[in-house]
């Protein structure tokens, strides 16, 4: 089997395409969550804790000298990324929880038994007559 043929089989396999779609949607979802956290949650949280802008929090380790920029330990950005992660993780948890609930409902609700056939109805009548 040639390398190109193997690659083609691998690339068009359903799981690979599903994974690619998931990655693209995940990247878009990540941007939405980053905007939610950066533009809505963090300003509100900063207001609650006294007007602190978390993205600007940091410790200057070495001052800027001429063209060399300052070396800053930007722990505020880290706090913001932690909030991003928490919100993404919670959203994914809720999505998986909903999917699992739907799966349980499908498994718990067995299909109604099919109506008896004409043959079965006739056999039931015969049985009932024999009982009398």
């Amino acid at each position: 089997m040639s390398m190109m043929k193997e690659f083609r089989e691998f690339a068009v396999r359903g799981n690979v395409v599903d994974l690619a779609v998931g990655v693209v949607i995940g990247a878009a979802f990540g941007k939405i969550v980053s905007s939610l956290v950066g533009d809505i949650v963090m300003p509100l949280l900063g207001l609650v804790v006294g007007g602190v802008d978390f993205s600007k929090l940091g410790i200057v380790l070495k001052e800027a000298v001429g063209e060399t920029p300052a070396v800053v330990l930007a722990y505020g950005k880290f706090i913001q990324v932690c909030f991003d992660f928490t919100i993404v993780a919670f959203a994914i948890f809720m999505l998986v929880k909903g999917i699992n609930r739907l799966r349980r409902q499908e498994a718990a609700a067995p299909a109604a038994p099919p109506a008896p056939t004409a043959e079965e109805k006739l056999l039931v009548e015969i049985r009932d007559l024999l009982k009398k």
Side-chain angles (χ1 to χ4, degrees):
M1 181 178 269
S2 73
M3 178 80 88
M4 194 60 145
K5 187 175 180 182
E6 278 185 67
F7 178 73
R8 189 177 319 122
E9 286 178 11
F10 170 76
V12 296
R13 191 175 294 154
N15 294 342
V16 174
V17 175
D18 292 343
L19 178 63
V21 170
V23 167
V24 170
I25 290 175
F29 185 68
K31 290 179 183 178
I32 291 170
V33 170
S34 293
S35 175
L36 172 71
V37 171
D39 300 331
I40 295 173
V41 174
M42 295 308 280
L44 292 174
L45 187 61
L47 186 65
V48 169
V49 295
V52 176
D53 181 8
F54 282 92
S55 63
K56 304 255 192 263
L57 292 178
I59 299 171
V60 178
L61 300 175
K62 184 177 179 186
E63 295 292 331
V65 179
E67 296 287 321
T68 309
V71 178
V72 179
L73 186 68
Y75 65 88
K77 290 180 183 178
F78 176 74
I79 292 171
Q80 185 164 351
V81 170
C82 288
F83 275 107
D84 285 352
F85 171 77
T86 303
I87 290 173
V88 169
F90 183 73
I92 291 172
F93 167 74
M94 294 304 291
L95 179 70
V96 169
K97 185 176 177 179
I99 290 170
N100 287 341
R101 182 179 298 149
L102 289 175
R103 285 185 182 164
R104 274 189 238 119
Q105 286 177 354
E106 289 175 3
T117 63
E119 232 177 52
E120 290 172 339
K121 288 179 186 176
L122 183 60
L123 287 172
V124 168
E125 288 177 19
I126 292 172
R127 182 196 66 199
D128 292 343
L129 287 173
L130 286 174
K131 280 185 183 179
K132 289 182 185 177

